[in-house]
Amino acid sequence: MKGKVLDFTYFKLLNEQLVLRQFGLDRVLSTNQYHQIKKRSMNFSLTDEQLAVQEAAREFAQKELKPGVIERDTHMKYPKEQVQMMAELGFLGMMVDPKYGGGGMDTVAYTIAMEEISKVDNSCSVIMSVNNSLVCWGLETYGTEAQKLKYLTKLAMGEWLGCFCLSEPEAGSDATSQRTTAVDMGDHYLLSGTKNWITNGGMADVHLVIAQTDPEKGHRGINAFIVEADWDGIAIGAKEDKLGIRSSDTHSIMYSDVKVPKENRIGEDGFGFKFAMKTLAGGRIGIAAQALGITGGAYELSVAYAKEREAFGKPIAKHQAISFKLADMAMDIEAAKMLVYRSAWLKDQGLDYNSASSMAKLFASEIAMRHTVEAVQVHGGYGFVKEYHVERLMRDAKITQIYEGTSEIQRLVIARNLLHGQLYVPTPEYGEASV
Ligand code: CAA
């Protein structure tokens, strides 16, 4: 009988057979069934590899990113050397198969690295996130072998950087309303239009561009293309002067009759909108991890400051007004971790993570905004100046509620899924091992 394993009490070896005690009954399992259940049982510990990634990312962020982060943010200075270091450390193609130059790691490890780097420098973490989850993942999952060999390998190794060009001046949340066109000319397309708010826009070597090829077909007439940045007809707009993530590279990009070879289309004709949606569902896990890291960074700074700073004869951490803020931060961080790590885990298990990633991004970005404001409050006047880092984290938090789908779009995705019958984020079935 198939079902879900919810309350098994123990596994044991009995007469050299593996036994699962569930609902008061002993059931004999094959070794295969035992391993299948064990693999999917609830387990909150990280693997050795994930722990090593966490330590490496934390050390890199604290030692290499923290020292210049205020200056880069103030002067909107692109973190060129730091991105180079991220490439060398393997942070730009973490999940890509090693045969294409990637780290071969799981989404949970990538999530943890994003979290640690985002505690310190969110310009670096968004550069990393776009390259990993929007560009490399999309190419590895849906690209042809020739596309992977030509583009993915360099992108995964960080020799090249990629950008994801979906948003337009008049198509942000309403992503199906693409005005950029790609006219089929037989052996190539002619691509024309403007893309907005493109992270890595001025630095990218490879653009993944979404464009309308057949307006009559609506979203089914949209395609995705691999475009090389140095092809004729591409102009990059001025770098945007932003509230947060100020040293990341955000531009509009204009395409004017850019000749794109047919072999650079990703997937079947008309697959472009689904390509964008599927890619963004995973991208949202990266941004959720970024928001989690921002909150974590603000929390760690607040705890340290509150223990040190004295007022009315004792550390402010001992005043209830401050300690309750810290308690709320700690609680929300733990809750966000569950959503963020679980959405990554669902993706790693090959299970549906569409609602889960939206929930993770929505919750993590909302708490990031709320608690970074509180972190500034904990720091008082010092929180209002750059030197103490929390004002930057507060400014950075805002974008996590906007890019890769606003909070409102995440609610829309969750609501549509639940109204279409998916009341909860799916819990995995236990296959043969179920009882
Ligand atoms: N996976 C696969 N297919 C999907 C999908 C998913 N996750 N979501 C939607 N689709 C499919 C639908 O099934 C439908 O296909 P069919 O008609 O064949 O069934 C098609 O896509 C259209 O879907 P909808 O009818 O739901 O389209 P919509 O217009 O009503 O709404 C939306 C879609 C969810 C609102 C979508 O437009 C959206 O996600 N908008 C936000 C865009 C966004 O996130 N932009 C971020 C820009 S990138 C960025 O920020 C990167 C950066 O630089 C940091």
Side-chain angles (χ1 to χ4, degrees):
M1 194 174 77
K2 271 199 154 202
K4 284 169 192 157
V5 178
L6 292 174
D7 69 342
F8 56 78
T9 324
Y10 61 79
F11 291 108
K12 66 179 178 181
L13 255 175
L14 205 67
N15 300 330
E16 298 191 347
Q17 283 182 307
L18 293 158
V19 174
L20 164 68
R21 182 160 182 86
Q22 189 187 31
F23 304 120
L25 295 171
D26 283 346
R27 292 166 204 277
V28 178
L29 301 175
S30 70
T31 314
N32 191 25
Q33 287 172 324
Y34 167 76
H35 285 299
Q36 207 180 345
I37 287 191
K38 194 156 179 271
K39 201 172 121 210
R40 287 192 163 172
S41 301
M42 199 174 277
N43 177 357
F44 294 101
S45 51
L46 300 178
T47 63
D48 288 347
E49 183 181 77
Q50 289 158 353
L51 284 168
V53 167
Q54 185 177 49
E55 201 184 317
R58 188 174 176 85
E59 196 179 320
F60 169 68
Q62 299 294 331
K63 282 197 184 150
E64 305 293 346
L65 300 182
K66 198 164 185 179
V69 66
I70 296 173
E71 204 223 325
R72 290 194 298 274
D73 175 79
T74 306
H75 302 292
M76 291 172 33
K77 190 173 160 211
Y78 182 74
K80 197 159 182 252
E81 285 164 37
Q82 292 71 20
V83 171
Q84 181 58 36
M85 277 189 256
M86 288 203 290
E88 281 159 19
L89 289 166
F91 285 130
L92 295 185
M94 291 183 70
M95 295 173 286
V96 175
D97 189 323
K99 78 176 176 190
Y100 301 115
M105 287 176 203
D106 58 17
T107 316
V108 174
Y110 160 66
T111 298
I112 290 167
M114 275 294 296
E115 181 187 351
E116 287 305 324
I117 291 172
S118 301
K119 286 179 180 174
V120 176
D121 188 334
N122 287 284
S123 294
C124 281
S125 68
V126 72
I127 294 166
M128 170 178 162
S129 170
V130 167
N131 204 66
N132 274 282
S133 36
L134 297 187
V135 179
C136 287
W137 188 84
L139 272 177
E140 183 167 22
T141 311
Y142 301 109
T144 61
E145 188 60 18
Q147 290 170 345
K148 290 182 205 177
L149 292 173
K150 185 166 181 190
Y151 297 107
L152 180 60
T153 307
K154 286 197 164 92
L155 287 160
M157 291 167 69
E159 264 178 55
W160 282 357
L161 201 61
C163 65
F164 186 81
C165 307
L166 173 68
S167 299
E168 297 187 355
E170 288 165 274
S173 290
D174 184 9
T176 51
S177 298
Q178 294 287 304
R179 302 262 170 103
T180 298
T181 55
V183 181
D184 191 340
M185 305 298 285
D187 66 338
H188 67 274
Y189 290 90
L190 279 184
L191 177 74
S192 296
T194 300
K195 294 292 175 180
N196 248 26
W197 319 122
I198 305 304
T199 304
N200 297 345
M203 303 305 294
D205 303 276
V206 174
H207 303 182
L208 298 191
V209 185
I210 315 298
Q212 183 64 258
T213 47
D214 188 347
E216 289 193 355
K217 289 189 183 158
H219 68 79
R220 294 195 185 99
I222 290 174
N223 275 296
F225 301 96
I226 307 166
V227 175
E228 295 182 28
D230 59 2
W231 284 349
D232 287 345
I234 301 178
I236 309 288
K239 183 167 175 166
E240 302 289 353
D241 186 351
K242 309 187 295 283
L243 173 73
I245 54 164
R246 283 174 57 75
S247 60
S248 73
D249 186 51
T250 313
H251 296 259
S252 52
I253 306 180
M254 282 70 73
Y255 301 92
S256 173
D257 283 341
V258 178
K259 201 171 161 185
V260 183
K262 265 265 161 83
E263 65 263 24
N264 276 31
R265 190 185 71 208
I266 301 174
E268 293 295 310
D269 189 19
F271 180 63
F273 190 71
K274 293 209 170 162
F275 169 81
M277 291 299 106
K278 284 168 180 280
T279 305
L280 277 168
R284 288 166 185 161
I285 299 173
I287 301 305
Q290 181 181 53
L292 175 62
I294 291 173
T295 321
Y299 166 72
E300 286 173 18
L301 290 164
S302 298
V303 170
Y305 180 82
K307 281 178 165 172
E308 205 177 272
R309 170 78 176 170
E310 294 203 354
F312 306 103
K314 57 184 177 183
I316 61 170
K318 297 226 163 138
H319 292 289
Q320 194 183 67
I322 300 299
S323 65
F324 278 16
K325 287 187 200 302
L326 301 177
D328 284 347
M329 286 182 200
M331 174 185 70
D332 279 343
I333 287 169
E334 290 306 316
K337 254 185 209 173
M338 296 295 151
L339 288 172
V340 178
Y341 290 7
R342 183 159 185 263
S343 62
W345 179 85
L346 284 168
K347 182 163 174 279
D348 288 333
Q349 300 297 317
L351 297 162
D352 181 4
Y353 54 91
N354 206 34
S355 288
S357 67
S358 283
M359 287 181 188
K361 181 182 180 289
L362 175 59
F363 186 78
S365 61
E366 299 289 312
I367 67 152
M369 197 65 253
R370 186 161 66 246
H371 291 309
T372 51
V373 170
E374 288 295 61
V376 171
Q377 194 69 14
V378 168
H379 283 72
Y382 293 100
F384 205 61
V385 295
K386 289 180 189 287
E387 194 188 332
Y388 284 75
H389 297 283
V390 282
E391 64 82 36
R392 187 185 69 261
L393 292 172
M394 182 183 80
R395 289 185 284 105
D396 290 348
K398 187 61 207 169
I399 193 60
T400 66
Q401 295 178 306
I402 297 173
Y403 59 19
E404 300 206 19
T406 60
S407 292
E408 292 73 19
I409 289 295
Q410 307 314 323
R411 287 189 171 91
L412 185 141
V413 170
I414 298 162
R416 281 188 182 174
N417 285 339
L418 76 87
L419 293 173
H420 282 93
Q422 195 191 87
L423 259 188
Y424 299 102
V425 171
T427 302
E429 291 285 335
Y430 286 89
E432 290 169 52
S434 307
V435 289

